[in-house]
Amino acid sequence: MRQRAFSLLETVITLAIAGMLLGIGEMSFQGFEDKINFDCFCRQAAGLFQEKIRSAAITGKRVVVYNQSSQGKLEVIQDGQHECLKIPDGVSVYTSFSDKTGFNITGDGTTSQPFTLKIVKNDQGKEEYVKKYTFLLSWGKINEK
């Protein structure tokens, strides 16, 4: 009984098809990884604001939040302690408050007005991903758009 094996041409074609499928999968995975990293930063930034608003309400201590985008960070000052959140490369953070005066959260956890946090991932000059959060007056209530 004679056994038949794949010819060299069949093997090369099969390997080429498998290589193309793996290459396509790798390219789509890189885009997926960028989206995951962007979403992770958005959750961290929104959580930071929400946590500090609640902390001010519980401890009765004023909090000031600064958008230091030019330095690549969001900075929070509460009771003389500084906390920073690094902004990833290619991500821009826009706030509805002045970068110089910051955003003040009073000791009872309320804010003078609702504010907006917009986070944008730019890729070659165009907005690739955008998340927008609106924080309401007290207890860090957050609405994602």
Side-chain angles (χ1 to χ4, degrees), residues 79-92:
D79 199 25
Q81 295 182 355
H82 295 257
E83 186 177 335
C84 293
L85 179 62
K86 183 184 179 310
I87 300 172
D89 294 335
V91 173
S92 301

Side-chain angles (χ1 to χ4, degrees), residues 30 52 85 94 100 103 114 117 141:
Q30 286 175 343
K52 293 306 174 182
L85 179 62
Y94 304 99
K100 298 214 185 295
F103 183 73
L117 174 68
K141 177 69 175 143

Side-chain angles (χ1 to χ4, degrees), residues 36-87:
I36 288 174
N37 290 336
F38 176 75
D39 286 342
C40 181
F41 172 73
C42 290
R43 281 192 304 276
Q44 287 176 331
L48 177 68
F49 279 89
Q50 196 170 29
E51 173 192 344
K52 293 306 174 182
I53 290 171
R54 288 181 179 164
S55 175
I58 292 169
T59 64
K61 296 181 180 172
R62 184 173 157 259
V63 176
V64 182
V65 180
Y66 294 98
N67 179 4
Q68 304 285 341
S69 294
S70 60
Q71 298 173 11
K73 64 182 178 178
L74 291 172
E75 184 175 21
V76 178
I77 301 172
Q78 182 179 23
D79 199 25
Q81 295 182 355
H82 295 257
E83 186 177 335
C84 293
L85 179 62
K86 183 184 179 310
I87 300 172

